[in-house]
């Protein structure tokens, strides 16, 4: 398999398993704690923190462990002049693998819990507060990732990024989707973690705005990119 093929496979698998963790733990939480929404969120967020950290450690050396189109776009943008990061064709391929992986992850979670494989969520989430929450969650995520990269601490990404997402489950009103591919995948499960199709475009728009804000903030705080951002520059071996 070519190097790009390995990267795309890693992005597909990583995004699929991330969504499977989010949706599957949401289903389990509903079943185990049917009458306590706070406990359901605790169970869901805890599983996501551990799952995301493991996926970053496992697949990061192959693809950089983006699992998120806005991370891939930020990497492409940061490296476009110096020739680091993703090329434009690679960016398009990464996003395609991530979106398909997100959908596959929901389907897999549904099947594991003996639910119809393909569902369409009826969980409408759009309020002004939720959209502000998505802007904040995504801006913070991009800022954390690039701050680590630009200060030579990318090796801490598995722990720090997972910890940030876990905290953002609780301090944002939207429970921190912060990822267009995950948002798209969660359309396909009518469960605790799902999102209705009508709500997804607004969430994705808020995520794009948040990513731009986060990247702008990093440019102000850390104006000099290192030669290789190391966000996503995988080990070619």
């Amino acid at each position: 398999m070519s190097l790009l093929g390995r990267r795309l496979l890693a992005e597909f698998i990583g995004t699929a398993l991330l969504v499977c963790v989010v949706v599957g733990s949401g289903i389990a939480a509903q079943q185990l704690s049917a009458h306590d929404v706070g406990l359901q969120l605790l169970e869901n967020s805890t599983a996501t923190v551990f799952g995301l950290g493991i996926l970053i450690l496992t697949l990061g050396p192959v693809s950089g462990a983006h699992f998120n189109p806005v991370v891939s776009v930020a990497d492409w943008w940061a490296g476009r002049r110096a020739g680091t990061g993703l090329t434009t064709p690679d960016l398009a391929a990464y996003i395609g693998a991530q979106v398909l992986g997100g959908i596959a992850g929901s389907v897999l979670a549904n099947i594991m819990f003996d639910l119809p494989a393909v569902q369409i969520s009826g969980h409408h989430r759009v309020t002004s507060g939720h959209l502000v929450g998505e802007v904040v969650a995504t801006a913070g995520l991009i800022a954390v990732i690039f701050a680590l990269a630009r200060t030579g601490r990318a090796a801490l990404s598995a722990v720090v990024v997972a910890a940030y997402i876990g905290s953002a489950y609780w301090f944002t009103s939207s429970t921190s989707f912060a990822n267009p591919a995950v948002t798209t995948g969660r359309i396909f499960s009518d469960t605790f973690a799902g999102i209705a199709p009508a709500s997804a475009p607004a969430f994705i728009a808020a995520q794009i705005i948040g990513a731009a804000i986060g990247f702008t903030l990093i440019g102000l705080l850390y104006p000099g990119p290192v030669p290789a951002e190391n966000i996503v520059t995988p080990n070619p071996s």
Side-chain angles (χ1 to χ4, degrees):
M1 180 179 290
S2 68
L3 177 57
L4 178 59
R6 289 172 55 208
R7 291 179 179 182
L8 297 180
L9 180 60
E11 286 296 301
F12 175 85
I13 292 172
T15 312
L17 291 179
L18 175 58
V19 173
C20 187
V21 168
V22 171
V23 173
S25 63
I27 297 170
Q30 274 188 309
Q31 295 178 352
L32 295 170
S33 308
H35 304 295
D36 190 334
V37 176
L39 185 55
Q40 291 174 13
L41 186 60
L42 177 62
E43 293 160 346
N44 189 208
S45 61
T46 301
T48 301
V49 167
F50 286 117
L52 178 57
I54 291 166
L55 289 170
I56 293 172
L57 283 173
T58 303
L59 298 172
V62 181
S63 69
H66 295 194
F67 315 146
N68 188 333
V70 295
V71 174
S72 297
V73 170
D75 177 60
W76 165 78
W77 183 259
R80 71 196 187 286
R81 292 177 181 169
T84 61
L86 296 175
T87 65
T88 301
D90 288 358
L91 171 64
Y94 260 54
I95 292 173
Q98 292 157 357
V99 171
L100 291 175
I103 296 169
S106 269
V107 171
L108 178 58
N110 292 336
I111 291 171
M112 284 197 300
F113 285 90
D114 294 321
L115 298 173
V118 179
Q119 306 174 335
I120 299 298
S121 177
H123 193 169
H124 294 276
R125 294 177 178 266
V126 171
T127 67
S128 58
H130 286 160
L131 297 181
V132 172
E134 279 301 287
V135 171
V136 170
T138 313
L141 175 63
I142 294 298
V144 166
I145 292 171
F146 275 84
L148 292 173
R150 292 195 175 183
T151 56
R153 296 176 294 167
L156 296 174
S157 293
V159 173
V160 177
V161 172
Y164 173 78
I165 290 296
S167 66
Y169 258 82
W170 291 91
F171 77 74
T172 66
S173 58
S174 64
T175 67
S176 183
F177 285 48
N179 184 329
V182 168
T183 302
T184 301
R186 288 167 73 164
I187 291 172
F188 293 89
S189 188
D190 191 19
T191 60
F192 178 80
I195 181 171
S199 297
F203 262 56
I204 292 171
Q207 291 156 5
I208 293 170
I209 293 169
I213 292 172
F215 194 75
T216 299
L217 181 60
I218 284 298
L220 296 173
L221 294 173
Y222 303 102
V226 293
E229 292 279 2
N230 284 333
I231 307 183
V232 282
T233 306
N235 184 341
S237 61

